[in-house]
Amino acid sequence: MPILIVVNDPRDLPLQFEGSELVAAKTYLTDPHYAAMRGAKVFNLCRSYRYQSTGYYVSLLAAARGHKPVPKISTIQDLKSQTIIRVASEELEELIQKSLSPIQSNEFTLSIYFGRNVAKRHDLLSSHLFKLFESPLLRAVFVFNEKEHKWHLQNINPIAVNDIPEEHRPFVVEVAREYFQRRRTFSRKKAARYDLAILCNPEEKEPPSDVKAIDRFEKAAESLGLAAELIDREDYGRLGEFDALFIRETTNVLHHTYRFAQKAAAEGLVVVDDPESILKCT
């Protein structure tokens, strides 16, 4: 799979990422060579992802070409949503408190480079945030609530390449190299035309479908030529790999199931239950 690093101006990039091709955004948007390219992974490092900006159109066009943009348009929208950020903070509350407990100040900024942080103790939190908001370079701001005596995620935004501190750059190059070389392999019983994700939680006490039912769903999918894979809340960033999402957890609008449904619908997946149904039933 070709790996493209797309930036506004290659002359502005202070880093060299091994195993990838550096492309100017204008070239990617207009050159027929890239329009004809198949299966490319496009890491969008443009200065801005604002609506109708160059960075926005890079991710939009990449998806239209069948490429795999990082970030996706749905992720760009999620980064702007305080509701999504609040839900993410609630879901990761235990991890946030554990990771930030030694911090003495009332505000903390976490730099996330391809799911990693220069301080190893924050790697797990960085990884989870990267899965929720898959964008190459992120900066998350946490604030400490004195009354509640706990940390909250206040906002999370992309980092411009030029904003990476000089002392962090060798680390960024290394984690990028590791990320690009990582191969994700997913088992498939046989070649299938469509991929179905079944969202479930084995620890749920009263799930809408028990283990036997889930097994039957998998067998039914296989009989119809679908490759079914069980996923959980940690697989939010992988939704774009599937053609459909079947939610087999108890849904709620203030729950990760609703966020999964929203993201899947935004990416054009067939979704059961769809976001509107979850809203009506909550």
Side-chain angles (χ1 to χ4, degrees), residues 15 109-113 117-119 139 159 163-175:
L15 307 174
T109 300
L110 179 70
S111 297
I112 304 167
Y113 307 124
N117 180 260
V118 290
R139 183 166 290 150
I159 304 174
D163 288 342
I164 299 173
E166 185 73 34
E167 62 272 20
H168 288 188
R169 291 177 182 179
F171 176 80
V172 175
V173 171
E174 177 60 23
V175 296

Side-chain angles (χ1 to χ4, degrees), residues 85-105:
I85 290 172
R86 185 176 65 254
V87 171
S89 183
E90 292 170 355
E91 288 188 7
L92 299 178
E93 181 178 342
E94 184 177 345
L95 181 56
I96 290 171
Q97 307 315 317
K98 182 178 180 180
S99 182
L100 304 187
S101 59
I103 307 298
Q104 298 299 313
S105 63

Side-chain angles (χ1 to χ4, degrees), residues 54-73:
T54 299
Y56 181 88
Y57 280 117
V58 166
S59 286
L60 186 67
L61 187 59
R65 289 173 172 172
H67 296 171
K68 297 184 181 298
V70 180
K72 301 172 184 173
I73 290 295

Side-chain angles (χ1 to χ4, degrees), residues 181-237:
Q181 290 181 350
R182 192 184 311 148
R183 292 186 177 182
R184 299 176 181 178
T185 57
F186 306 104
S187 61
R188 293 285 187 261
K189 292 182 179 179
K190 62 178 183 179
R193 186 176 180 184
Y194 298 108
D195 295 322
L196 169 67
I198 302 177
L199 178 63
C200 54
N201 178 8
E203 297 181 2
E204 187 174 357
K205 292 182 179 179
E206 296 183 2
S209 299
D210 60 16
V211 175
K212 289 184 179 179
I214 295 294
D215 183 60
R216 288 171 183 158
F217 283 133
E218 288 186 280
K219 290 178 180 177
E222 184 178 359
S223 71
L224 295 171
L226 305 177
E229 181 178 339
L230 303 185
I231 65 171
D232 59 28
R233 62 188 295 175
E234 301 296 333
D235 293 305
Y236 182 76

